[in-house]
Amino acid sequence: MSKSILIIQQAADKIPGNILETAARHNVKLRIIKLWHKNAAIPSSLNKYDALVVLDDAHSPLTTSTRPFRNKLDGGITKSLAEDRPYLGIGCGFHLLAASQGAVIGDNGPH
């Protein structure tokens, strides 16, 4: 049975790049949600995904809190971790992971 990964792409210029190639080589199914699209939605259930990847954002993690999808994204990260689902956060995706676990996010990242 092949694995399935949900990728959250926060900005058009922050692409999954090598993840796409590696997934194709290993027969891993990917679903990419492009959050800047008008009808983008994070699934309420992550049960059909074996891992969650949250890519970088063009904006500082300090400003993403004003974006309408931030609460849903934070909830998805927390739920993924609670269900012991592997998580990879790249750039801002890592900062959001840290924030979901109680870290204070500053201009230079979590501390």
Side-chain angles (χ1 to χ4, degrees), residues 15 20 24 34 49 54-55 58 67 72 80 91:
I15 60 173
L20 300 174
K34 299 176 179 184
Y49 302 104
V54 178
L55 300 177
R67 293 181 165 216
K72 289 183 180 181
S80 187

Side-chain angles (χ1 to χ4, degrees), residues 1-7 19 22-24 26-32 48-51:
M1 185 165 127
S2 72
K3 299 285 184 177
S4 180
I5 298 175
L6 177 62
I7 298 178
I19 295 173
T22 302
H26 296 281
N27 197 33
V28 174
K29 296 177 185 175
L30 300 177
R31 177 177 176 202
I32 302 172
K48 65 182 184 177
Y49 302 104
D50 298 297

Side-chain angles (χ1 to χ4, degrees), residues 82-100:
E83 294 172 351
D84 204 26
R85 181 175 294 100
Y87 176 92
L88 174 62
I90 299 173
C92 184
F94 169 73
H95 294 150
L96 294 174
L97 167 66
S100 76

Side-chain angles (χ1 to χ4, degrees), residues 11-104:
D13 64 337
K14 305 296 182 179
I15 60 173
N18 291 336
I19 295 173
L20 300 174
E21 297 166 15
T22 302
R25 273 197 317 268
H26 296 281
N27 197 33
V28 174
K29 296 177 185 175
L30 300 177
R31 177 177 176 202
I32 302 172
I33 296 175
K34 299 176 179 184
L35 287 182
W36 66 93
H37 284 187
K38 183 178 180 180
N39 296 322
I42 297 170
S44 58
S45 172
L46 301 175
N47 291 339
K48 65 182 184 177
Y49 302 104
D50 298 297
L52 174 62
V53 175
V54 178
L55 300 177
D56 201 1
D57 193 350
H59 303 282
S60 160
L62 298 176
T63 60
T64 59
S65 62
T66 61
R67 293 181 165 216
F69 59 80
R70 175 66 189 271
N71 288 340
K72 289 183 180 181
L73 183 52
D74 288 345
I77 293 169
T78 302
K79 184 173 185 169
S80 187
L81 296 175
E83 294 172 351
D84 204 26
R85 181 175 294 100
Y87 176 92
L88 174 62
I90 299 173
C92 184
F94 169 73
H95 294 150
L96 294 174
L97 167 66
S100 76
Q101 299 303 296
V104 176

